Amino acid sequence: MKKYLEATEIIDYNNKEVHTLAMSLSADCKTDAQIAKKCYEYVRDNINHSGDYKDNITTYKASDVLKYKTGWCYAKSHLLAGLLRANGIPTGFTYQRLSCSEYKRDIYCLHGLNSIYLKEFGWYRVDARGNKEDVDAQFNPPFEQLAFELGENEFDLSEVLSEPLDVVVLALKKYKSYGEMIENFPDVV
């Protein structure tokens, strides 16, 4: 589990603001599930999803997501991982390959999720992208309630990764605006 607790360049929970927020969110909690829920709901509800808000900034590091209060689903998962890892809760990354037709017709892209290791339940997937009309992701272990149900030609990448996929990080670093991102979403075959 050690690799799911590490601070990295991207999951930079050693950043003062990220660490301070992580400690304040967990202050009154007694279990890892309570901490995870508070951190999850903070990211889901207080950080804009760049696609929903058409934010013209692309963040990738946890500290930048917190600083600018925006991120694509992948970046939001980086902040959530940072908050949870700072609290000693193993957190990894999983992905879905979904239709991204809400942004551009007839394309597929990756969608970033977190897998959290909860002592009571084991690995549990959550989706902190942010709710909106027709999207109602919740934290209710052991039941998953992700933002999207899989449709035709969509699938889960089932491995729990300790680091975000390289293709995701490269896209977030290279494409800085809303327009650039929707033309270059990360994907796998």
Side-chain angles (χ1 to χ4, degrees):
M1 287 293 174
K2 183 180 174 187
K3 64 185 179 179
Y4 296 100
L5 291 168
E6 293 176 344
T8 67
E9 175 207 355
I10 296 166
I11 316 307
D12 60 342
Y13 67 79
N14 47 3
N15 169 276
K16 182 182 177 190
E17 288 76 20
V18 175
H19 192 266
T20 299
L21 176 61
M23 295 304 102
S24 70
L25 289 170
S26 65
D28 298 325
C29 298
K30 299 196 181 345
T31 68
D32 60 345
Q34 289 173 338
I35 295 168
K37 181 175 183 173
K38 283 188 82 172
C39 292
Y40 164 77
E41 289 178 347
Y42 177 87
V43 174
R44 183 195 66 190
D45 299 341
N46 293 286
I47 305 296
N48 289 347
H49 181 276
S50 297
D52 293 347
Y53 289 84
K54 295 182 173 55
D55 289 331
N56 249 342
I57 181 171
T58 302
T59 55
Y60 72 93
K61 289 172 36 170
S63 58
D64 285 343
V65 175
L66 181 58
K67 178 179 179 179
Y68 295 106
K69 300 282 193 269
T70 191
W72 290 93
C73 57
Y74 327 103
K76 290 182 73 163
S77 76
H78 301 167
L79 175 58
L80 180 56
L83 295 173
L84 294 171
R85 288 180 181 190
N87 278 294
I89 299 173
T91 306
F93 305 93
T94 56
Y95 299 89
Q96 295 176 315
R97 185 173 192 260
L98 302 174
S99 166
C100 290
S101 295
E102 71 181 282
Y103 301 107
K104 189 176 169 188
R105 289 178 52 131
D106 302 322
I107 65 163
Y108 288 84
C109 64
L110 292 176
H111 175 58
L113 310 170
N114 291 98
S115 285
I116 306 168
Y117 189 81
L118 300 172
K119 293 176 189 121
E120 292 179 66
F121 306 105
W123 286 110
Y124 177 66
R125 288 190 313 170
V126 296
D127 189 340
R129 77 158 312 279
N131 289 338
K132 62 179 185 172
E133 188 176 332
D134 298 328
V135 174
D136 184 29
Q138 298 294 325
F139 184 95
N140 187 26
F143 307 103
E144 278 186 1
Q145 189 169 335
L146 305 176
F148 306 107
E149 290 187 25
L150 296 178
E152 187 176 346
N153 298 319
E154 297 179 333
F155 57 86
D156 289 317
L157 282 69
S158 58
E159 187 178 356
V160 178
L161 305 168
S162 61
E163 293 292 326
L165 284 173
D166 287 342
V167 67
V168 168
V169 174
L170 291 173
L172 292 174
K173 285 182 175 182
K174 184 174 183 180
Y175 304 110
K176 298 300 178 191
S177 70
Y178 171 82
E180 288 177 333
M181 275 301 291
I182 66 170
E183 293 296 324
N184 297 285
F185 283 130
D187 193 14
V188 295
V189 179

